[in-house]
Amino acid sequence: MTVTVALIVLVAMLVFGLPVALAMAVSGATGLYMFGGWPILQGILKTSPLSTANDYEIITIPMFLLMAEFVIISGVANDLFRAATVWVGRLRGGVAMATALAGAGFGAISGSSTAAAATLASTSIPAMLKEGYEPKLACGVVAISGTLAMLIPPSIALILYGIIADIPIGALLIGGIIPGIIVTFTIILTIAFLVWRDPSVAPVGKSYTIREKFASLNRVGLVLILFFAVTGTIYSGIATPTEASGIGAFCAMLIAAWERKLSLTNLLRALRSAAQTTCMVLFIILGAHIFGYFFTLTRVTNDITTWVGGLDASHGMILAVILLGYLILGFFMDQIAILILTVPVVLPLILDMGYDPVWFGVLVVVTAEVGMVTPPLGMNVFVVARYTRRPLGELFRGVAPHVWAHLIVIALLAAFPAITLWLPSTMR
Amino acid sequence: MAAPGEPQLPLNAPSAWLARVETVLVALSAIALAGIMCTVMLDVVLRYVFHAPLVWSYDLIGLYLVGAVFFFALSDTMQQHGHIALDVFVPLIPFRLRHAAQSAGFAASTLLLAAITWLEYGQAVQALVADNRIAGIVPFQTWVAHAVLALGMGVLVLRCAYRTLFHALSAVTGRDMVELPPPPVTSTAGLESAE
Amino acid sequence: QEVTLRLADSLPVGHYMTTGVADPLMAKTKEMTGDKVAFEHFPAEQLGKAKDMLSLVQSGVADIAYVGASYSADKLPLSSVGELPEAFSNSCEGTKAFWSVAKPGGALDVAEYQPEGVRALAVLVLSPYQLFVHGDLAGIGDVNGMKVRVTGAPKIAAIQKLGGVPVNVPGPEAREALSRGTVDAIAFPIASIKPYDLAPHIKTATKGLNFGSFVATWMISQAKYDSLPEDVQKALTEAGEAATLNGCEATDASTEEDFKFVAEQGVTFVDLPAADLDTLQGVMSSVGDEWAADLDGRGKPGTDILNAFRAGLKSE
Ligand code: NA
Ligand code: NA
């Protein structure tokens, strides 16, 4: 009964367009009040807001967002995309494939999927539309390519999973590399399939000489600097993964200044924008905490896991049920909220079945990626819509083929843990 | 209604007054954000090059700065429609019902956030009186963290109360009298001018 | 069942502090009351983070909570007395001395727990932290200039007094930091070496020294305690005392195994020269004295509590 009321409040507030964070906080608080009255509710309200913010490790979120802001200001994102276009050359759908490559490249320096989608949307969509790409295809590839940033290290999602699950973040980040490459090629293959099926959706690209190809790389040096600032400092031990995000932001700021693009106005706008996005993310996490404590106190999460754990089914079946649950949650919920809500309850079950937590983390993040581009709550699609002003329905349809391709990748990663675990195992 | 990508301008005097407070707070949030970036950078350089890291950076960032970034940006982010909301169903809902429901939703939110603000204010006073400090090399006082939360959340309470009132007024008068998020554009116009 | 109690902690499921203290506490309470009491266990931060636990038990969200002294040092600064590098070399010595001041009616209970409205049911002081070094450690002088991952004010002060450079690294990144040289050494309880998989990145380590420790308490609010039937109160108190003993004995037993395991992984435990041990003892007791003086200066009975704890250590 209590749970039903809380869920009704949640759904009603979401449908009427109230902020997701408020919807979760109010519905969770309603449930807590019905469960234990004011004493219990005030107990939760006294602790969860401050402890959402009193956390050193959470700085990866604002730092990577700030870094993305500086990268856009500096023009490096544009250069990266242009170089990829030149190298892919005259293939039909080449610019779309270049978008996937640029997404992977930007993923290697940024940990935030929405930041990556924003960067790609502002650089590659105008270029594709100018060349006569079908808008649906152009926007779809941008929305899905943005998700590469949360798989290819560094990744906020993987770092957050590591913090929640209390497992080494280094192994997780390394574990994301090969799946990230696989997803990149899956996106490219999906584009190839789409243009083969209907060549009218994308034109053939321009061809470039070898000289032009190498000339396009001269600006990629700046991206390499950022790559070493973030990923390099982690591997060399100069800094921890958490600190590397701050170093990345600082170096991106220096690059923007070096390129003479960093005016005081630009700097303030970047800081404010990153602060706002951080605030949005943390507010949703806070709402998810309040809602999550309500679910925990009423033993709902416990009952669900007990139910799943008690299923008379093979481990593979249980894993499939869990992943299906993540897909369904991804339709409606923010990925970070999903991680915080579910990992503490699901992970013990996974460990019980003898699965590897690093492998599961990567699997969960790939599955969560799908949620970034599925309706009704698909953060990356929203970001693309904000930059392009295209109708949401068209964007969701445009990204659909990539969702199907993604499901195949998930099945592959689930069936063959070695794909994920081989690279971390060489690090010992 | 704000145009996509453009800042939201206040629609009336109470909103404008609140927006001024929000601008001051979000400036502090931005400074705190820059502070985190510089502190981390300085800490790593001092440790790696000079073997002398800042002993207070971890506590300063974790206790004060992240909170300042988060809570001081809360209300400004609300005013600028930065808090993600589902916009899929909203256009399908009749005007007066939509505004009435939003007014109710913001009223409930105001109540909850006011409770949080009040509880945090109490904890700030308590921590100040008891001189509670963390066990760090620099024993930072904990009341500051509570006070930052209470202040940022308090302004958000005012913003939500404002939304409650003016959504209700919109429902009564049948006119938009409150800031609304930019609409999803369904025409194909404006493609070339996309940022 | 007439009474249901919610027990909350921030420890991973199956953690040794849970199996050593919380589980026996719950089991014995149930046994003594003839299953009149039922427990709902919320592990792994399900109700809040480690630093929220004191507040959660005060507000009644949790009835019993695992409160780490260093996580709540803002509200319970005196409880850190058990984390000082004092003269004890295993968990039971530290735990028994700490229990003598923390148990209801003890000096710490009067000074700190009663004003906060809470009551300790059980406590555990871990085996003292040792220094685990990526490279060589021949004498205590080698600590000079070493970057050491260490948390908590008294432990940081101890490392600083030896010339070490304290570095704050989040727990999940500790292994990364040690293997890549972000830090040269780590001050850790031996029991954490295996779960964090640190042994492959350690060459030398100390044994039998005390670089400080960690104090865990299982608290109930006094109001909740007073509201319980008398037989349940009695059961909780007795079960708590038994669980305290059980916890430290289990910790000491596994400490021996942990040392063996770490040694088998190729870590050399060094015996420091006698002169070093004398130096160390002087340095470490000055850490405690300064801790107490600092609290005295803030109007809290630091010296009284330290003296009571030291008396407890002597009487063991
Ligand atoms: Na990334
Ligand atoms: Na979704």
Side-chain angles (χ1 to χ4, degrees), chain A residues 13-22 25-26 29 38 41-42 45-47 49-50 52-59 62-63 66 70 121-123 126 129-130 135 236-240 242-244 246-247 249-251 253 268 270-272 274-280 282-284 286 290 332 376-377 379 382 386-392 396, chain B residues 4-6 23 26 29-31 33-34 36-38 40-41 43-44 47-48 57-58 61-64 66-67 69-71 73-78 80-90 93 97-98 101-102 105-106 108-109 112-113 115-116 118-120 123 126 145-146 149 153 156 160 182 184-188 190-195:
Chain A
M13 286 185 73
L14 287 177
V15 165
F16 281 108
L18 285 138
V20 175
L22 289 178
V26 169
W38 175 240
L41 176 58
Q42 66 125 16
L45 295 186
K46 269 172 115 169
T47 52
L50 195 59
T52 303
N54 271 10
D55 189 351
Y56 177 83
E57 286 127 272
I58 215 132
I59 65 167
M63 288 300 107
L66 187 57
F70 288 136
S122 66
T123 50
L129 295 180
K130 207 153 80 191
S236 62
I238 294 173
T240 65
T242 307
E243 292 167 338
I247 297 174
F250 193 85
C251 291
M253 183 182 73
L268 291 179
L271 285 170
R272 182 177 179 183
Q276 285 181 342
T277 315
T278 304
C279 177
M280 179 265 279
L282 289 185
F283 203 25
I284 290 178
L286 168 55
I290 295 177
F332 309 102
L377 185 69
M379 292 274 233
F382 291 167
R386 193 172 168 79
Y387 277 81
T388 62
R389 310 191 208 169
R390 303 294 306 179
L392 277 176
F396 281 124
Chain B
E6 294 298 312
T23 308
V26 82
S29 165
I31 291 170
L33 187 63
I36 294 175
M37 178 179 74
C38 295
V40 169
M41 189 70 203
D43 192 20
V44 170
R47 184 180 68 222
Y48 191 73
S57 67
Y58 196 92
I61 291 173
L63 188 65
Y64 294 160
V66 180
V69 171
F70 177 17
F71 300 117
L74 266 176
S75 195
D76 183 60
T77 308
M78 180 67 82
Q80 299 298 330
H81 311 294
H83 290 301
I84 292 289
L86 247 59
D87 59 359
V88 181
F89 307 104
V90 176
I93 303 169
L97 173 63
R98 187 201 325 156
Q102 294 217 339
F106 276 115
S109 306
L112 174 66
L113 300 177
I116 294 176
W118 180 68
L119 290 169
E120 285 298 331
Q123 292 188 85
Q126 216 177 27
H146 291 289
L149 200 171
M153 199 64 85
L156 181 63
C160 286
V185 172
T186 46
S187 76
T188 48
L191 270 179
E192 294 304 319
S193 65
E195 293 165 74

Side-chain angles (χ1 to χ4, degrees), chain C residues 4 15 37 56 97 113 127 138 140 170 203 209 221 225 234 253 277 280 284 286 297 311:
Chain C
T4 302
H15 192 272
V37 180
L56 290 174
Y113 297 162
S127 308
I140 207 67
K203 192 170 172 195
L209 303 183
S221 78
Y225 183 85
K234 188 165 168 286
L277 294 179
L280 211 52
M284 293 308 178
S286 74

Side-chain angles (χ1 to χ4, degrees), chain A residues 35 39-40 42-44 47 51 54-55 57 166-170 234-237 240-242 293 296-297 299 345 348 427-428, chain C residues 6 12-13 40-42 44-49 51-52 55-56 59-61 169-170 172-173 175-177 180-182 196-197:
Chain A
F35 172 78
I40 296 285
Q42 66 125 16
I44 294 292
T47 52
S51 63
N54 271 10
D55 189 351
E57 286 127 272
D166 210 14
I167 57 174
I169 284 161
I234 297 175
Y235 295 134
S236 62
T240 65
T242 307
Y293 293 143
T296 312
L297 271 172
R299 301 302 258 177
V345 248
M427 298 284 300
R428 303 239 132 193
Chain C
R6 287 188 291 269
V13 178
E40 283 179 350
H41 185 196
F42 296 90
E45 300 192 335
Q46 282 183 7
L47 290 186
K49 296 192 182 166
K51 56 177 171 276
D52 297 337
S55 175
L56 290 174
S59 61
V61 173
V169 176
E173 293 179 358
R175 182 173 176 274
E176 196 75 11
R180 308 217 172 278
T182 314
Y196 280 85
D197 192 22

Side-chain angles (χ1 to χ4, degrees), chain A residues 330-332 371-372 374-375 377-378:
Chain A
F331 290 162
F332 309 102
M372 305 288 296
T374 53
L377 185 69

Side-chain angles (χ1 to χ4, degrees), chain A residues 327-335 368-379 396:
Chain A
L327 277 176
I328 294 172
L329 283 179
F331 290 162
F332 309 102
M333 280 173 61
D334 176 74
Q335 275 54 49
E369 276 185 3
V370 175
M372 305 288 296
V373 295
T374 53
L377 185 69
M379 292 274 233
F396 281 124

Side-chain angles (χ1 to χ4, degrees), chain B residues 11-14 95-104 106 160-179:
Chain B
L11 282 187
N12 49 45
F95 184 93
R96 284 172 197 267
L97 173 63
R98 187 201 325 156
H99 278 292
Q102 294 217 339
S103 176
F106 276 115
C160 286
Y162 160 82
R163 290 264 176 103
T164 307
L165 185 64
F166 280 78
H167 272 296
L169 282 176
S170 305
V172 171
T173 60
R175 287 185 297 122
D176 278 327
M177 297 184 68
V178 64
E179 292 88 349

